[in-house]
Amino acid sequence: MSEPELRLDAYLPYRLSVASNAVSGLIARSYQDRFGLSVPQWRLICVLAEDDGLTQGQLVARTVMDKVTVSRAAQGLLKRHLVARSDHQADGRSHVLALTHEGQGLHAEIAPLALAYEAALISGLAPDEVALLKRLLGRLQTAAGQLAGDTPG
Amino acid sequence: MSEPELRLDAYLPYRLSVASNAVSGLIARSYQDRFGLSVPQWRLICVLAEDDGLTQGQLVARTVMDKVTVSRAAQGLLKRHLVARSDHQADGRSHVLALTHEGQGLHAEIAPLALAYEAALISGLAPDEVALLKRLLGRLQTAAGQLAGDTPG
DNA sequence: GTGAATTAGTTTCATATGATACCAAAAGCC
DNA sequence: GGCTTTTGGTATCATATGAAACTAATTCAC
């Protein structure tokens, strides 16, 4: 007995999705309005600022985005001269992306805003709660990845 | 000094989005493959199973989805005779939605699967960790809502 | 070396999403 | 009663997304 009750607002995947949508929507709107950047574009800038000279394939791995998404984001940034492309030394199919000076400037401008958003979002939480939250999110992600691989039942 | 470093994989909104996408993708694929249901459709079924006889407006509030999304999901469910519509007693614009017998059957079939997914996802976590996670997600959601209202910056 | 199978990246296409405009019913206002 | 404003829901449109097909370059097998 005791049917294990399924209530939507207690259902973790739902809660996760709603929270993520709220946060992503906030951030996406902000970057779009202020800098004309999509979230994928911003992610590329962010990764390239950490670690310059990556191929799109590497960016796919780093950002957990689809390669089509990365391709389009890169094209947009190219058009705005925020990143530059150079031929890959050893692989003629591949190109190496790097931030231009202008791209670096934009990153320097946005990064504090991004951090301010994060700070505002977690302002009610204790530092150890934040750390735990990040760890739990990582676990969920890997669990989902494993389940997606198997034939879950 | 000490620029407060922005690393993408330590950035909470990013982590949240990636985790949510992984989980949502897993669930969405499963419901689509097995039952031909979209996530919005499933959410409506779920809410209507909890609490029958709601208008679309009420469903919008309950599911935190756009009214267009709810409208379309409802139409899909109507076409498959999983929900039924009756005129609203007091408001001629509005309709009342309720699960059909068939819809209830489908819900009874999916609910255990949904709970199994949740159980699998959190299988590595302690119960109090899960509780905390849900609470923190709620806090993030409300914080994002507040920030979206203000002019943050 | 030559040819088959992979891989990096783009293009194409089909679908999902939400902003906006829209229609009809309801509520306020006088 | 008439008139405007608001609200429930739908239709239209413009954009975002990813799956699949495709191109070109690379690797592997031999």
Side-chain angles (χ1 to χ4, degrees), chain A residues 6 8 11 14 17, chain B residues 24 27-50 52 54 56 59-60 62-84 97-100 102-104 106-108 110-111 114:
Chain A
L6 172 60
L8 191 59
Y11 189 55
Y14 170 75
S17 170
Chain B
S24 288
I27 304 242
R29 213 167 311 120
S30 160
Y31 292 173
Q32 186 61 60
D33 292 350
R34 303 185 185 207
F35 307 101
L37 288 180
S38 68
V39 167
Q41 286 174 341
W42 160 246
R43 285 186 183 174
L44 292 196
I45 288 179
C46 199
V47 170
L48 288 173
E50 287 172 23
D52 232 9
L54 301 175
Q56 292 188 190
L59 288 167
V60 165
R62 290 284 204 97
T63 58
V64 198
M65 298 191 297
D66 191 83
K67 68 179 184 170
V68 179
T69 306
V70 168
S71 174
R72 282 193 277 241
Q75 283 172 22
L77 296 176
L78 271 172
K79 231 167 273 166
R80 287 178 59 184
H81 305 290
L82 296 171
V83 307
L97 300 181
L99 288 182
T100 62
E102 195 181 343
Q104 289 171 6
L106 189 59
H107 175 262
I110 306 184

Side-chain angles (χ1 to χ4, degrees), chain B:
Chain B
M1 44 237 71
S2 86
E3 303 234 349
E5 277 298 324
L6 172 60
R7 294 208 85 254
L8 191 60
D9 23 311
Y11 190 55
L12 184 62
Y14 170 74
R15 297 297 300 272
L16 188 57
S17 170
V18 169
S20 174
N21 285 347
V23 170
S24 288
L26 172 71
I27 304 242
R29 213 167 311 120
S30 160
Y31 292 173
Q32 186 61 60
D33 292 350
R34 303 185 185 207
F35 307 101
L37 288 180
S38 68
V39 167
Q41 286 174 341
W42 160 246
R43 285 186 183 174
L44 292 196
I45 288 179
C46 199
V47 170
L48 288 173
E50 287 172 23
D51 215 340
D52 232 9
L54 301 175
T55 66
Q56 292 188 190
Q58 292 170 315
L59 288 167
V60 165
R62 290 284 204 97
T63 58
V64 198
M65 298 191 297
D66 191 83
K67 68 179 184 170
V68 179
T69 306
V70 168
S71 174
R72 282 193 277 241
Q75 283 172 22
L77 296 176
L78 271 172
K79 231 167 273 166
R80 287 178 59 184
H81 305 290
L82 296 171
V83 307
R85 245 185 177 176
S86 50
D87 291 347
H88 190 287
Q89 186 114 31
D91 190 333
R93 297 166 296 182
S94 197
H95 305 275
V96 173
L97 300 181
L99 288 182
T100 62
H101 188 67
E102 195 181 343
Q104 289 171 6
L106 189 59
H107 175 262
E109 197 177 348
I110 306 184
L113 177 68
L115 289 166
Y117 267 117
E118 185 182 43
L121 285 168
I122 65 180
S123 66
L125 314 184
D128 59 331
E129 286 180 327
V130 176
L132 180 60
L133 175 60
K134 288 181 182 175
R135 208 162 64 239
L136 295 179
L137 290 174
R139 295 240 207 107
L140 288 179
Q141 180 189 342
T142 56
Q146 285 169 350
L147 289 172
D150 307 340
T151 308

Side-chain angles (χ1 to χ4, degrees), chain A residues 57-96:
Chain A
Q58 292 172 315
L59 288 167
V60 165
R62 290 281 205 96
T63 59
V64 199
M65 298 191 296
D66 191 83
K67 67 179 184 171
V68 179
T69 306
V70 169
S71 174
R72 282 193 276 240
Q75 283 173 22
L77 296 176
L78 271 173
K79 229 166 274 166
R80 287 178 60 186
H81 306 290
L82 296 171
V83 307
R85 244 185 177 177
S86 50
D87 292 347
H88 191 287
Q89 185 115 32
D91 191 334
R93 298 164 297 181
S94 198
H95 306 275
V96 173

Side-chain angles (χ1 to χ4, degrees), chain A residues 90-112:
Chain A
D91 191 334
R93 298 164 297 181
S94 198
H95 306 275
V96 173
L97 300 181
L99 288 182
T100 62
H101 188 68
E102 195 182 342
Q104 288 171 7
L106 190 60
H107 175 262
E109 197 177 349
I110 306 184

